[in-house]
Amino acid sequence: MKKSNVSFGILILLLLISLPLKAQQKKLTPADYAQWQRMYATSISDDGNWFAYQISLVEGDGWLMLTKVNSSEEHKFMYGSQPSFSENSKWFAFRIGVSEDEARKLKKQKKPVHYNLGLMNLNSAEVDTFKAIQDFEFSETGNHLVMKKYKAEEVKTDGTDIIIRNLNTGANQLVGNVADYQFNDAGTYLAVQIDANEKLGNGVQLFNLNTNSITILDSDTADYKALSWHDEKNALAFMKTTTDTSHIGESHDVYAFPDVTKSTAPKVFHQTENKAFPENSKIVDYAGIGWAEDGNTVFFGIKDWEIKKEEPKDTSAIAKLNKGLDSTNVAVWHWKDAEIQPEQEVRQKRLKEANYLSVWHLNNGNFVQLADDKIETVQLTGDQQHAIGYDAHPYEPAFREGWNDVYLIDVKTGDRKKILERQVGVQSSPGGKYLYYFKDKNWWTYSISSGKHANITAGIDTRFENYKSIHGTENFPPFGTGQWVEGDDWLLVYDEYDVYRVWADGKKHENLTNSTSDEIQYRQARMDYDEDKLAKNEPIYFSKYGYYTKDRGYARLDRKNRLTELIYEPKMISRLDKADSSDDFVFMVESANESPNFYYTGANFKNPKAITHTNPQQEEYYWADDELITF
């Protein structure tokens, strides 16, 4: 009896203690929801010491947060967005907007919202503010910052002012009438395209950021377009407009500097001086300029150039009847059209800018047209020595799958070789040694050097076609692939759950995850989308998803093929990111009752630390719990 009384007394005491806590909680109303935070635009510095993220509210003004991950140091910037760290992790730049009230006021006055720029020294925490900055970019070295000002309303050209800031000295250099600018890959040069009101100063200038010297690469009253650096070399190309009396509109000459560090004259492609260039064609600027890996090959697009002609006067009776009628609202349909009329209307802009990929070889001046009326779609291989051409005409009109005959095109000669029929698509390995494609429920490769096809997954006892997918097409699409390794020796392919390493010749394969029995799906987790291949000695990261547990997380495969689980919990775990120059990681965790937040960890993923704290007000409200129900 005494024991029961004691238990009853403890129960009453617990109820009394819990009453005030329950009284503190509130029901969530639509008005309360307005304060809820959403997090996006995240960025981690290259050294892994800083993390930035943007907060927006359902209603109200948002802000930008900058936190030092291994300390309590935090900085809050109201109306901030677009966080960016310099490559040397010494500087932090961001855009500063205006309040919602101010934005509404400016809209009412029909005035544009102009942003400012904040520049923070991460060592001293000092912040400089630059007014009316439309865009900005750090150099690869982190020693310079370019800030683009807004163009004045009265300016009719594309040119505006830019500020080149030397981050080491704090010196600012103003350059006017800039239509475009680009750093080279090393961050040592800045190419600037000038578009002035009077046209007299138009041209392309080169700023040597180490010596602060300026070289005028070309200057004229013509317009300049399509600045393009080689990805690795100090090679630069651009276009210069040209016209003639027999055609409507403009074409372009192409200027190429194989090495801007050498004071040599540019190589120039004049279409009128090249016999291989098709008659009544022009070079278009909107297709841009591409460099091949070798630095001696340049790609651009061409299309028909309309000839000027005098329209004869039509004095017929039909012409008199049609006089005054608007013909632009008439749509003519034909049952043999390759694309139905609504699709033609949707793709009107794309069709208007359709062009044929062509190549100019700098070493011998040869011009080769890779695409034409038959093979309109062309994509380059990884090494840009060949192109993949698609001929869809035999299968048009197409309503379900876009079948193509696939050709391999030699970039040097333009020679074509049909390698596949009735194929949806083909891709190139990053090194350009192989093409790969999905056909007959398997992955295949095509060796460009030998001309042989190989079924590389025929010997694997699993299904690579996504039989759970409903696409309404004739064949199931594949579950997908990961990246190739450098050197094009092997690539990653997926079945429903596992990731396989499959060699390009099909003679060898490995199941890297072995998770089918556990029904856990593994997929490669890419953290650097600028890199198109896997390094041979670097670990591979995988996301994990339990089909029936709904658990999520990440795993890592080391160079000795040891698979290690890093984190795996009954929560939504996503957005894994790694600092470029350190083994520091961030990832986001959320659940039905846990607001999304980022965690910071070292390479071992032990004791992750929360570095964001969104929606702390959630604790004030009644909140649902989550429970997994299997049925």
Side-chain angles (χ1 to χ4, degrees):
M1 181 65 67
K2 287 183 179 180
K3 186 175 181 181
S4 298
N5 286 338
V6 171
S7 299
F8 183 74
I10 293 173
L11 177 61
I12 293 295
L13 180 61
L14 289 172
L15 287 171
L16 290 172
I17 292 172
S18 66
L19 280 174
L21 296 177
K22 289 287 184 182
Q24 291 177 1
Q25 291 184 309
K26 303 178 290 184
K27 291 182 179 179
L28 186 65
T29 67
D32 297 322
Y33 185 64
Q35 64 184 306
W36 240 253
Q37 302 170 5
R38 290 174 292 183
M39 178 170 47
Y40 56 100
T42 59
S43 180
I44 185 171
S45 62
D46 280 11
D47 62 6
N49 290 330
W50 295 89
F51 183 71
Y53 57 98
Q54 187 176 338
I55 293 290
S56 69
L57 303 180
V58 176
E59 293 180 13
D61 297 321
W63 60 88
L64 184 68
M65 290 296 300
L66 174 66
T67 180
K68 196 167 186 178
V69 295
N70 285 317
S71 75
S72 58
E73 184 179 347
E74 282 189 332
H75 303 272
K76 181 178 181 180
F77 305 101
M78 287 302 299
Y79 324 125
S81 62
Q82 203 173 321
S84 178
F85 292 99
S86 63
E87 300 290 336
N88 56 13
S89 301
K90 293 181 178 180
W91 301 91
F92 176 64
F94 56 96
R95 196 168 68 169
I96 304 171
V98 298
S99 67
E100 286 189 356
D101 289 341
E102 180 65 17
R104 281 192 290 267
K105 180 181 176 182
L106 290 170
K107 185 177 181 181
K108 208 173 204 181
Q109 298 172 348
K110 296 183 179 180
K111 294 181 179 180
V113 175
H114 283 180
Y115 294 88
N116 296 331
L117 180 133
L119 178 64
M120 179 176 176
N121 184 321
L122 293 175
N123 291 324
S124 65
E126 294 179 357
V127 179
D128 289 330
T129 302
F130 298 84
K131 292 185 177 180
I133 301 297
Q134 183 180 357
D135 202 2
F136 61 93
E137 182 182 354
F138 283 109
S139 66
E140 188 71 18
T141 60
N143 294 328
H144 291 83
L145 173 69
V146 170
M147 296 170 277
K148 180 182 179 181
K149 302 281 288 182
Y150 286 92
K151 188 175 71 170
E153 293 183 6
E154 64 273 11
V155 175
K156 303 303 180 183
T157 66
D158 292 333
T160 188
D161 293 344
I162 66 169
I163 300 170
I164 306 173
R165 183 175 177 87
N166 186 320
L167 296 172
N168 294 324
T169 65
N172 297 319
Q173 183 174 359
L174 180 69
V175 184
N177 303 309
V178 176
D180 191 17
Y181 59 88
Q182 286 190 22
F183 287 107
N184 67 334
D185 183 66
T188 52
Y189 286 92
L190 178 71
V192 172
Q193 174 191 315
I194 304 297
D195 189 6
N197 278 328
E198 301 300 325
K199 300 292 183 182
L200 294 175
N202 282 6
V204 175
Q205 300 177 4
L206 184 69
F207 287 74
N208 185 325
L209 299 174
N210 291 329
T211 63
N212 203 33
S213 60
I214 304 173
T215 302
I216 298 176
L217 299 180
D218 197 67
S219 180
D220 204 337
T221 56
D223 291 329
Y224 291 79
K225 308 281 182 65
L227 278 179
S228 177
W229 285 100
H230 188 283
D231 285 343
E232 297 176 359
K233 304 176 186 290
N234 288 318
L236 178 68
F238 53 84
M239 292 183 185
K240 179 179 176 180
T241 59
T242 180
T243 59
D244 67 28
T245 57
S246 59
H247 293 88
I248 298 173
E250 60 190 25
S251 183
H252 299 82
D253 292 334
V254 180
Y255 285 64
F257 293 79
D259 189 349
V260 297
T261 65
K262 299 177 181 178
S263 55
T264 55
K267 295 180 180 291
V268 184
F269 183 86
H270 300 288
Q271 63 186 66
T272 55
E273 298 176 6
N274 193 296
K275 295 180 180 180
F277 194 86
E279 189 178 3
N280 295 322
S281 294
K282 65 178 181 178
I283 299 172
V284 297
D285 62 289
Y286 49 77
I289 297 175
W291 283 92
E293 193 176 78
D294 60 15
N296 289 313
T297 310
V298 170
F299 300 94
F300 48 79
I302 69 172
K303 70 175 302 181
D304 292 340
W305 198 0
E306 187 178 355
I307 301 172
K308 289 181 181 178
K309 54 186 177 181
E310 187 175 336
E311 293 292 338
K313 291 183 179 180
D314 190 348
T315 58
S316 65
I318 294 176
K320 291 177 181 178
L321 288 172
N322 289 334
K323 187 177 180 181
L325 294 178
D326 182 8
S327 61
T328 59
N329 62 352
V330 177
V332 180
W333 292 38
H334 195 283
W335 68 278
K336 286 187 176 181
D337 283 349
E339 296 173 337
I340 60 175
Q341 189 68 25
E343 188 173 2
Q344 292 180 37
E345 292 174 358
V346 170
R347 299 183 178 183
Q348 186 175 6
K349 184 177 185 297
R350 193 195 71 178
L351 293 171
K352 185 179 179 181
E353 294 189 348
N355 59 89
Y356 300 134
L357 183 66
S358 303
V359 58
W360 171 36
H361 297 282
L362 303 184
N363 53 356
N364 55 22
N366 287 348
F367 169 86
V368 179
Q369 183 177 333
L370 302 178
D372 56 23
D373 288 340
K374 179 182 179 181
I375 299 179
E376 298 175 347
T377 303
V378 168
Q379 65 187 70
L380 296 168
T381 56
D383 60 355
Q384 300 92 36
Q385 296 302 305
H386 294 84
I388 308 166
Y390 297 94
D391 179 12
H393 295 94
Y395 311 101
E396 292 175 339
F399 298 100
R400 288 188 178 182
E401 286 170 287
W403 299 115
N404 300 275
D405 289 340
V406 181
Y407 291 78
L408 183 69
I409 307 171
D410 190 314
V411 165
K412 291 182 179 178
T413 64
D415 293 340
R416 298 173 174 181
K417 176 183 178 183
K418 186 192 289 188
I419 60 172
L420 282 168
E421 293 183 347
R422 205 170 182 267
Q423 179 66 28
V424 175
V426 174
Q427 298 179 70
S428 169
S429 62
K433 294 181 180 179
Y434 296 92
L435 307 182
Y436 64 108
Y437 56 95
F438 193 74
K439 185 176 183 179
D440 300 331
K441 301 181 180 181
N442 279 284
W443 283 104
W444 296 69
T445 58
Y446 174 81
S447 170
I448 292 178
S449 60
S450 69
K452 294 181 179 180
H453 297 266
N455 186 335
I456 62 173
T457 55
I460 306 176
D461 186 19
T462 188
R463 299 180 69 175
F464 292 100
E465 79 277 14
N466 187 354
Y467 58 91
K468 293 183 174 181
S469 173
I470 301 175
H471 280 271
T473 54
E474 181 178 321
N475 298 311
F476 288 117
F479 279 108
T481 66
Q483 289 180 285
W484 283 76
V485 72
E486 59 183 348
D488 291 356
D489 294 330
W490 50 261
L491 77 156
L492 303 177
V493 300
Y494 307 144
D495 70 1
E496 184 175 1
Y497 296 107
D498 288 316
V499 180
Y500 290 80
R501 188 199 327 252
V502 183
W503 268 253
D505 57 9
K507 294 180 179 179
K508 184 179 177 182
H509 68 268
E510 296 174 340
N511 188 335
L512 301 179
T513 52
N514 292 296
S515 59
T516 297
S517 60
D518 297 325
E519 296 179 310
I520 299 174
Q521 184 186 77
Y522 282 76
R523 294 293 184 258
Q524 184 194 356
R526 293 183 62 177
M527 286 163 281
D528 184 0
Y529 282 88
D530 291 332
E531 186 57 61
D532 61 357
K533 53 187 175 294
L534 285 162
K536 286 186 176 180
N537 296 320
E538 293 296 321
I540 305 173
Y541 291 86
F542 300 109
S543 63
K544 296 181 62 176
Y545 169 62
Y547 259 36
Y548 290 98
T549 64
K550 308 305 176 188
D551 294 355
R552 292 181 184 266
Y554 291 96
R556 177 171 54 214
L557 185 79
D558 65 19
R559 66 183 66 181
K560 295 183 179 180
N561 276 8
R562 294 175 298 194
L563 186 66
T564 303
E565 183 178 283
L566 302 174
I567 184 169
Y568 189 60
E569 296 179 6
K571 298 178 180 180
M572 170 64 80
I573 301 176
S574 61
R575 298 175 66 176
L576 180 67
D577 196 9
K578 180 183 177 297
D580 283 351
S581 57
S582 70
D583 288 329
D584 297 305
F585 296 81
V586 293
F587 57 88
M588 192 171 75
V589 178
E590 59 184 310
S591 68
N593 52 23
E594 184 176 343
S595 183
N597 278 300
F598 272 86
Y599 286 74
Y600 168 85
T601 181
N604 57 15
F605 276 69
K606 292 182 179 178
N607 303 316
K609 170 190 173 184
I611 53 174
T612 68
H613 307 280
T614 61
N615 297 309
Q617 76 280 3
Q618 180 178 315
E619 298 177 1
E620 302 173 12
Y621 298 90
Y622 290 112
W623 207 261
D625 205 347
D626 58 346
E627 179 182 353
L628 181 64
I629 300 175
T630 303
F631 58 94

